[in-house]
Amino acid sequence: MKSRFAPSPTGYLHIGGARTALFVWLWAKKQQGQFILRIEDTDRERSTQASVDAILDGMQWLGLTYDEGPYYQTDRFDRYKAIIQQLIDEDKAYYCECSPERLQTLRDELMAKGEKAKYDGHCQHKNLISGVVRFRNPAEGNVVFSDLVKGEINVHNKELDDLIIARSDGTPTYNLTVVVDDHDMEIDYVIRGDDHINNTPRQINLYTSLGWDLPTFAHLPMILGSDGARLSKRHGAVSVMAYRDAGFLPEALLNYLVRLGWSHGDQEVFSVDEMIKLFELKNVNKAPGSFNQEKLLWLNQEYIKTADIQHLVDQLDWHLNEQSVDVSQGPDIVKVINALRERSKTLVEMTQGVKMFYQDFDRFDEKSASKQFKPATQPIIEALIAKYTELEDWSSEEIHTIVKQVCEEQGVGFGKAGQPFRLALSGTGNAGSIDVVAELVGKKRTLARLNMALNYITQIDD
RNA sequence: GUCGCCUUCGUCUAUCGGUUAGGACCCCAGGUUUUCAUCCUGGUAAGAGGAGUUCGAUUCUCCUAGGCGAUGCCA
């Protein structure tokens, strides 16, 4: 069994494409079949190598590995040419010299009359030998096919016209190339976005005309933006790689995407293995879905909380490099991640949190500082400095005990000491459990930062 | 315009004729917590509209409306 993902390289791999790729990939994996990647680059005006690279990068990051390919349609022009010639020879296709102007006028007229805008067959029997090549679509009857997600679809041949299969420069067009490729590559399942539903009957006629067996079709609903409009740049990040940059784990994105349009009862979290095991095209929804960043964020946090720690280390590495955070000197990154993982929605947030363990800062967040570093706090900070300077066993337990001691001696609640201490340690006030954080930051840096806080307080005193 | 596809809480969805229409995200309230976060408890919120079939429709049929797609020498 074989299925394929066939993007056209006219931009990066976007969310919708990634979801299609995922479903196709899952279906292939589930059947223990082959997943083929084919680049549909017949439109040479718009196709770029940069886009091909971007698509490949996106798929690699998501872990959607392909068993065959990438095949490029531009490498197969001879084959398409032969098929087109064959169709002409068998009188199943013909040349047409109608000008774009004539065609446009025709469309306008038909539309004005309230009729279907389609080619009128002007050149059908002229026996021309140049121009575009059109496929002779059957005039009667209808095309019926059973779509794995949409069910039975029935289209009258009257609605279809003689579509162009070769441009006037001889290059083949999409509807011809897909059919030839899917046949030659022995694709059993054509799974793609439902914007292709309307092309399917035309393609079926091509298959039939060529005497080829039909693949099974499955048309996936589109992904819309939060406003219900087709997902586009104005909805924010649509490129898959932008999600890596924003600190998402690939498995979180995959999990989000698989649940957008597919479900298995009430289950929300799926490992990739579970997806493969449970995925069914018949459980794919017919209706389009809206992309919802909040839910993705929630899933990302779930994955950050539960992921294998080494995996997290590996994934975080890219962000650490990106932000030039050197973790080779200082506490074990594993411990730092464990201290941070429950409070990070993204790896970018986590990277921010990591900084305080490896980098010194020279100022406190002004808003927090003005609130926390009051003159009344001075004796508390001084007491902490005194006791910590003496502390031999720099462990979270001891650190915690001392905070408690100071609170008792000064007759204040834990928060009165804990809050300023947290701000002194982090500079921002955003940090986890202070004892654990202080242990990881280390004695030297903790004392330095407490002294910095003390300075701050004595300065506002003046 | 014409043709095709689609329509359950704000969002993602469950339901395969009989349910107080369930779950999840978000939001709100309460609890745990040295802040935040995590965690726990609870809450708000839905079958586009109209006919029909049926003892009974969210579920089946039809109509209408709305959305999306196609109508390209794009894919």
Side-chain angles (χ1 to χ4, degrees):
Chain A
M1 172 276 179
K2 288 186 183 180
S3 63
R4 83 326 191 256
F5 175 54
S8 56
T10 53
Y12 40 65
L13 179 65
H14 57 91
I15 289 297
R19 209 269 310 247
T20 301
L22 170 63
F23 282 17
V24 175
W25 183 83
L26 287 173
W27 193 242
K29 291 290 154 195
K30 188 184 176 66
Q31 323 285 321
Q32 299 182 335
Q34 311 288 301
F35 175 63
I36 295 167
L37 178 63
R38 184 173 73 226
I39 306 295
E40 309 218 320
D41 54 353
T42 51
D43 182 354
R44 290 165 134 158
E45 304 268 302
R46 298 197 302 153
S47 302
T48 64
Q49 185 57 43
S51 297
V52 172
D53 294 340
I55 290 167
L56 262 28
D57 285 351
M59 292 188 60
Q60 184 179 24
W61 181 66
L62 287 172
L64 301 178
T65 52
Y66 37 90
D67 304 296
E68 277 183 41
Y71 294 118
Y72 293 84
Q73 293 192 319
T74 43
D75 289 342
R76 292 174 42 77
F77 274 24
D78 289 346
R79 171 64 175 157
Y80 306 134
K81 209 164 246 177
I83 295 292
I84 290 164
Q85 190 55 52
Q86 180 193 326
L87 287 168
I88 293 171
D89 292 346
E90 293 173 355
D91 200 33
K92 289 171 177 167
Y94 61 92
Y95 282 104
C96 165
E97 286 181 347
C98 290
S99 66
E101 294 74 29
R102 176 182 185 274
L103 262 18
Q104 189 54 52
T105 312
L106 177 66
R107 275 193 286 267
D108 292 345
E109 282 172 7
L110 287 169
M111 226 184 267
K113 278 197 287 183
E115 287 174 32
K116 179 86 180 175
K118 56 174 211 170
Y119 181 59
D120 60 356
H122 186 69
C123 297
Q124 246 167 11
H125 305 293
K126 287 188 172 177
N127 292 315
L128 299 170
I129 53 166
S130 70
V132 300
V133 178
R134 288 183 183 270
F135 170 68
R136 277 189 214 281
N137 197 81
E140 300 298 322
N142 40 14
V143 180
V144 183
F145 69 99
S146 175
D147 189 280
L148 248 33
V149 345
K150 303 278 185 176
E152 187 179 287
I153 292 176
N154 192 336
V155 176
H156 293 90
N157 273 320
K158 287 190 183 71
E159 301 300 328
L160 276 21
D161 62 1
D162 292 350
L163 67 301
I164 293 175
I165 54 176
R167 303 181 181 93
S168 46
D169 66 359
T171 56
T173 61
Y174 168 74
N175 282 299
L176 189 273
T177 59
V178 233
V179 169
V180 174
D181 285 346
D182 286 336
H183 168 263
D184 287 1
M185 294 171 192
E186 300 176 305
I187 303 298
D188 304 284
Y189 290 90
V190 170
I191 305 168
R192 74 235 296 197
D194 69 5
D195 47 338
H196 285 295
I197 276 202
N198 295 288
N199 288 323
T200 307
R202 303 168 171 285
Q203 292 170 14
I204 287 177
N205 283 333
L206 235 18
Y207 272 100
T208 309
S209 182
L210 259 0
W212 292 342
D213 289 338
L214 293 175
T216 300
F217 294 97
H219 288 93
L220 275 16
M222 313 247 74
I223 296 179
L224 309 177
S226 47
D227 56 356
R230 195 174 179 166
L231 199 61
S232 70
K233 282 188 202 78
R234 66 191 173 78
H235 293 106
V238 284
S239 150
V240 162
M241 290 318 252
Y243 284 88
R244 174 199 60 184
D245 298 354
F248 288 90
L249 254 14
E251 54 272 32
L253 220 210
L254 248 21
N255 197 145
Y256 178 74
L257 256 16
V258 84
R259 277 289 287 104
L260 218 191
W262 173 81
S263 61
H264 181 260
D266 286 338
Q267 189 170 345
E268 295 289 348
V269 180
F270 297 85
S271 67
V272 169
D273 285 344
E274 278 179 306
M275 289 179 204
I276 292 170
K277 206 171 90 188
L278 301 171
F279 185 76
E280 288 291 352
L281 281 170
K282 68 177 169 62
N283 290 339
V284 171
N285 238 243
K286 293 163 184 259
S290 296
F291 192 82
N292 182 249
Q293 185 112 9
E294 264 81 48
K295 187 150 184 184
L296 207 211
L297 225 34
W298 170 75
L299 268 169
N300 201 47
Q301 187 167 24
E302 285 296 305
Y303 276 91
I304 287 176
K305 278 189 306 201
T306 58
D308 172 72
I309 187 71
Q310 190 52 48
H311 178 64
L312 236 30
V313 172
D314 295 342
Q315 292 290 318
L316 191 67
D317 192 58
W318 186 87
H319 291 275
L320 258 14
N321 282 327
E322 194 71 1
Q323 302 223 19
S324 306
V325 183
D326 178 10
V327 298
S328 61
Q329 306 294 315
D332 184 354
I333 187 68
V334 168
K335 289 182 181 167
V336 172
I337 291 176
N338 275 327
L340 256 29
R341 66 195 304 178
E342 284 202 348
R343 52 209 336 110
S344 307
K345 279 188 158 68
T346 68
L347 294 179
V348 168
E349 263 183 42
M350 184 178 274
T351 304
Q352 280 305 117
V354 163
K355 286 181 180 172
M356 62 172 282
F357 296 95
Y358 301 94
Q359 296 177 352
D360 290 317
F361 48 87
D362 50 19
R363 69 183 57 186
F364 297 105
D365 174 66
E366 222 18 77
K367 230 177 119 188
S368 312
S370 62
K371 202 171 145 196
Q372 298 298 340
F373 295 159
K374 299 270 178 57
T377 319
Q378 188 173 338
I380 297 170
I381 300 285
E382 282 170 342
L384 286 172
I385 292 171
K387 286 185 192 293
Y388 284 142
T389 307
E390 299 300 312
L391 184 61
E392 296 284 328
D393 176 17
W394 191 255
S395 66
S396 58
E397 291 80 11
E398 291 302 316
I399 293 165
H400 187 248
T401 306
I402 285 178
V403 178
K404 272 202 332 210
Q405 268 178 24
V406 169
C407 288
E408 278 168 28
E409 286 170 16
Q410 312 252 346
V412 296
F414 203 112
K416 283 272 189 273
Q419 284 293 40
F421 189 10
R422 176 174 291 105
L423 177 59
L425 276 171
S426 61
T428 62
N430 292 324
S433 168
I434 47 169
D435 42 7
V436 174
V437 169
E439 179 188 327
L440 291 172
V441 166
K443 181 173 176 176
K444 202 175 136 202
R445 272 184 160 138
T446 299
L447 285 170
R449 289 175 193 181
L450 282 168
N451 275 305
M452 199 171 126
L454 195 55
N455 272 339
Y456 183 99
I457 295 170
T458 47
Q459 271 169 25
I460 51 164
D461 248 358
D462 296 339

